[in-house]
Amino acid sequence: MLTARRIAWLCLGLAALSPAPAAAVDGNIGGLDINLSGLAEFRFVAPSRESGHTAGGLGKTSWGQERGFPVVPDFGPLILRGSIGFTPDLRFVTNLRVDPKQKTAVDMLDAYIRYRPVSTSRWRWTLRAGAFFPPISLENTGIGWTPEWTLTPSAINSWVGQELRVLGGEATLEWRGERDRIEAVVAAYGWNEPAGAAIDGYGWSFSQHPVGLFGHVRLPNVDDPLGPRVYSYQFRQFDHSVGYYAGLAWERPDIGRVALLRYDNQGDPNAHDSTEFGWRTMFWSLALSTEIGPVTVLAQGMVGSTTISTAINETSRTDFWSYYVLAGIERGPWRFAVRFDQFAIRENVADAGIGGDERGVAATAAVTWTPRKGISLTGEVVAIESTRSQRQLLGRSPRATEIQAQVALRLWF
Amino acid sequence: MIPRGIRALLAAVALFAPWAVPAATITATVADDQGRPLADAVVTISPEPGTGTPSPDGEASTPISVTIDQKSEIFVPAVVALRAGGSAMFRDSDNIRHHVYSFSPVRRFEMVQTPGETSAPIVFPQPGVVAIGCNIHDHMSAYIFVTAAPWSKVTGANGQAVLTGLPAGRFVATVWHPRLRPRAEPPVQNLSLATENSSISVTLPVLPPRRPRARDY
Ligand SMILES: [Cu+2]
């Protein structure tokens, strides 16, 4: 307790004393608009007592017991964002994530070209091409897939950050009415066939570790706890199918926003390369945001499945669903948020045995203090109760209650 | 953000307050429905039709020319009042380009601005709300409230607008804000003015400020 209090004071002191961070760098060099900005995070974490998925365990939190201390300091990530405007219509954007715990210390979360000609009519269209996140999250509005209200994203958006990336093209058409705004989006992509391996491998998680284009997710060592580490690389192409998503969103200032999206990577479950198998992953996502008095409410639900071939003419389908509801309120330099998540996975495996069925709930509470622009201090507690049958393979109870607390200093520059 | 301005125009006339004005100065205080001072509300005052109150000639206070600057990807000021027929210039004080545009039916235009550039004046002949955006930076927004009213002022951070130089007569005041709630009951206020300096206070039901979306530029 004393330690936690000391750490809290240390963080407060750091926030109060740290110099005003340098502003983002903007400049026009040789006719190109250059913008460089970033985010640096430093935290103290009281990890969960389970071993986390990044350490090959079946815990649900970003930080698990593997380091063996009740409170651990952690630097990172450092997000570096660069954007280049070639013309007013054409831009290149990338977010680099620097974190020694990744496969490569510097990885690229996204990198894409945006083409958006100006329109003085009600219609406007935008094209994106490259590698980018599908437009699913209402939470992760910060740079480098960081959430706005909490430190830890919901189960849904943790998963999106780990396994989904669009390597392809996307077209958005907007209609901007007097009050209403409607957006239609379609995309075609490849290089995401293994997406599904992680949600099948360790299930839903609450992770602050989105995976970059050169990264991988670690799969749990359930079959052979002492065996070599098993990784899955999400951004690979080895069948000839083209994945797609299509979405519609409607927005009105006095009501809010509703967005529906259908995603299907059209992966071939029988395809594989030297290390990865094809996962046919599809889902529906419905997202809502609104303001109720001073309270911002975000809600999102996702239901889908991923299918892998286990033998000739035999497939295994894993069904997953989750939803969350987040309520946030801002009062001067303070921001408060609570979120409730519920999640479940059901494996439809032909052969008997312990599968990856799971169900669980999570409650997250976060308080953010922003003494001035560019600096914030967030305290967050995530409590997750889950049942995952696979834990029995590690000799543990299928049921686990995890609590992860952290205080994070964030500096935007 | 742009549709909001147009939508808000539909519910724009927030206050009709006919009254006799012997005053030279009116201080308008605008608050939101929580009682907090509301900045960026446009208060206009015009002679009440049929009362014989003359329209002023020279001393009208609604600007006929405004300059909107762009600093750190923000339009400054974010809301301006402009006399119908007047003009606005845009300045880019950033060291990157901006692409200023409007698709408001009242006045459509678009232009790319390079660092340090001040545009030629853009004329706004028709009254109405013109929502201004930047096609590069979607979070940038500004509003030009084009009005035939001879007097108008935008409230500051303290929610106040001071309108000066009014002659005696009867006037109609309106208050508009970009975040005015659609379908909100417009507050109506009648005033009896006893002194030369008078004041009006208005409560406007407004939507909360728009929260940022994920940046894609
Ligand atoms: Cu701009």
Side-chain angles (χ1 to χ4, degrees):
Chain A
M1 208 53 231
L2 184 67
T3 324
R5 194 174 299 168
R6 260 191 212 159
I7 286 159
W9 281 114
L10 181 62
C11 283
L12 279 167
L14 272 173
L17 295 175
S18 55
V25 179
D26 266 331
N28 187 288
I29 300 163
L32 304 175
D33 287 327
I34 313 280
N35 175 275
L36 299 172
S37 57
L39 163 67
E41 296 193 2
F42 171 70
R43 78 193 73 239
F44 284 103
V45 191
S48 132
R49 265 181 288 199
E50 292 290 315
S51 183
H53 61 87
T54 52
L58 288 168
K60 298 286 174 211
T61 54
S62 293
W63 287 272
Q65 52 111 51
E66 50 278 359
R67 280 192 260 183
F69 296 103
V71 174
V72 289
D74 202 349
F75 287 95
L78 171 68
I79 306 286
L80 298 172
R81 182 191 177 86
S83 107
I84 303 170
F86 300 104
T87 71
D89 299 343
L90 188 68
R91 265 192 116 70
F92 169 76
V93 181
T94 186
N95 282 280
L96 302 180
R97 190 176 191 279
V98 183
D99 187 344
K101 298 179 289 296
Q102 293 171 159
K103 177 170 182 285
T104 56
V106 182
D107 205 339
M108 199 177 252
L109 290 174
D110 56 6
Y112 59 90
I113 295 273
R114 181 189 82 174
Y115 179 64
R116 185 164 77 190
V118 71
S119 160
T120 57
S121 81
R122 296 214 174 277
W123 299 90
R124 180 172 74 168
W125 55 275
T126 306
L127 298 180
R128 289 199 292 172
F132 47 91
F133 289 97
I136 289 178
S137 179
L138 297 169
E139 297 178 289
N140 301 67
T141 51
I143 65 171
W145 198 246
T146 49
E148 182 193 3
W149 288 99
T150 56
L151 295 168
T152 307
S154 63
I156 292 173
N157 294 312
S158 295
W159 177 59
V160 172
Q162 285 166 28
E163 287 211 89
L164 299 193
R165 216 59 40 88
V166 181
L167 283 93
E170 178 198 68
T172 306
L173 182 64
E174 293 167 83
W175 183 83
R176 307 169 288 186
E178 299 204 340
R179 284 188 307 186
D180 307 80
R181 178 196 194 93
I182 295 168
E183 288 168 31
V185 62
V186 291
Y189 53 86
W191 295 277
N192 210 181
E193 274 100 72
I199 200 164
D200 178 76
Y202 55 75
W204 293 103
S205 66
F206 292 80
S207 174
Q208 284 170 253
H209 300 113
V211 175
L213 296 170
F214 306 106
H216 52 37
V217 291
R218 181 157 174 203
L219 298 178
N221 289 58
V222 279
D223 301 324
D224 181 8
L226 299 174
R229 296 176 174 196
V230 186
Y231 295 102
S232 174
Y233 293 79
Q234 309 312 308
F235 311 119
R236 293 268 184 91
Q237 166 80 19
F238 41 77
D239 65 14
H240 300 288
S241 62
V242 176
Y244 77 89
Y245 59 80
L248 261 184
W250 171 73
E251 193 174 311
R252 215 170 94 174
D254 56 328
I255 293 179
R257 181 181 170 91
V258 183
L260 182 69
L261 188 119
R262 169 72 176 167
Y263 176 102
D264 187 343
N265 75 350
Q266 303 227 76
D268 176 0
N270 290 307
H272 59 85
D273 65 6
S274 55
T275 60
E276 301 299 326
F277 292 91
W279 293 79
R280 173 81 185 269
T281 299
M282 55 181 109
F283 61 81
W284 286 95
S285 164
L286 178 66
L288 311 165
S289 71
T290 191
E291 312 276 336
I292 301 173
V295 180
T296 299
V297 178
L298 309 180
Q300 191 179 356
M302 178 183 277
V303 54
S305 69
T306 183
T307 303
I308 190 172
S309 166
T310 46
I312 307 284
N313 296 326
E314 198 178 291
T315 57
S316 158
R317 195 183 80 235
T318 299
D319 295 325
F320 54 84
W321 62 260
S322 179
Y323 70 85
Y324 73 83
V325 180
L326 180 150
I329 188 165
E330 205 160 11
R331 280 285 171 264
W334 296 92
R335 188 183 280 178
F336 305 89
V338 288
R339 186 183 61 218
F340 177 78
D341 284 73
Q342 192 169 2
F343 53 89
I345 286 175
R346 204 185 124 73
E347 270 192 4
N348 302 281
V349 197
D351 58 344
I354 295 174
D357 285 10
E358 79 174 22
R359 59 180 191 277
V361 291
T364 306
V367 182
T368 299
W369 175 53
T370 306
R372 57 176 176 250
K373 195 172 181 284
I375 291 184
S376 74
L377 193 59
T378 302
E380 184 197 77
V381 178
V382 187
I384 307 159
E385 184 160 303
S386 63
T387 304
R388 185 170 178 87
S389 44
Q390 239 182 355
R391 288 189 183 121
Q392 293 169 79
L393 295 171
L394 300 175
R396 304 175 73 97
S397 160
R399 193 183 181 110
T401 302
E402 292 167 84
I403 296 173
Q404 174 191 275
Q406 58 178 315
V407 177
L409 176 67
R410 297 205 266 189
L411 302 170
W412 284 268
F413 51 89
Chain B
M1 81 191 66
I2 280 143
R4 173 175 300 164
I6 302 162
R7 169 193 49 66
L9 172 64
L10 301 173
V13 180
L15 171 73
F16 284 101
W19 69 90
V21 181
T25 296
I26 289 184
T27 302
T29 306
V30 184
D32 67 12
D33 30 7
Q34 316 253 320
R36 291 174 299 212
L38 189 60
D40 290 336
V42 182
V43 180
T44 73
I45 291 185
S46 36
E48 189 187 334
T51 58
T53 302
S55 270
D57 309 319
E59 73 273 38
S61 77
T62 303
I64 52 160
S65 156
V66 292
T67 299
I68 297 178
D69 203 350
Q70 293 158 88
K71 281 182 186 164
S72 306
E73 298 176 8
I74 297 170
F75 285 114
V76 186
V79 176
V80 293
L82 180 69
R83 193 80 184 258
S87 63
M89 292 188 287
F90 288 86
R91 186 186 301 139
D92 181 356
S93 292
D94 284 331
N95 47 15
I96 49 163
R97 284 173 290 202
H98 292 290
H99 198 163
V100 184
Y101 76 106
S102 152
F103 63 87
S104 302
V106 169
R107 183 73 170 89
R108 298 171 198 273
F109 69 93
E110 57 93 3
M111 64 182 173
V112 173
Q113 287 208 283
T114 52
E117 184 187 354
T118 301
S119 73
I122 297 171
V123 179
F124 293 80
Q126 277 184 60
V129 174
V130 182
I132 308 288
C134 170
N135 198 55
I136 300 169
H137 311 107
D138 249 354
H139 62 280
M140 294 176 64
S141 91
Y143 296 89
I144 301 179
F145 187 86
V146 186
T147 176
W151 292 276
S152 55
K153 239 350 170 338
V154 180
T155 56
N158 60 358
Q160 288 197 342
V162 180
L163 296 106
T164 55
L166 283 96
R170 293 174 65 84
F171 297 88
V172 176
T174 70
V175 182
W176 174 86
H177 192 274
R179 289 190 278 114
L180 195 63
R181 255 176 208 285
R183 298 186 305 270
E185 274 302 305
V188 176
Q189 191 176 339
N190 291 301
L191 289 170
S192 63
L193 302 172
T195 62
E196 287 242 312
N197 293 326
S198 50
S199 58
I200 54 174
S201 62
V202 179
T203 299
L204 282 189
V206 290
L207 295 165
R210 202 177 112 108
R211 297 207 68 82
R213 297 256 297 275
R215 260 169 46 166
D216 74 335
Y217 58 89

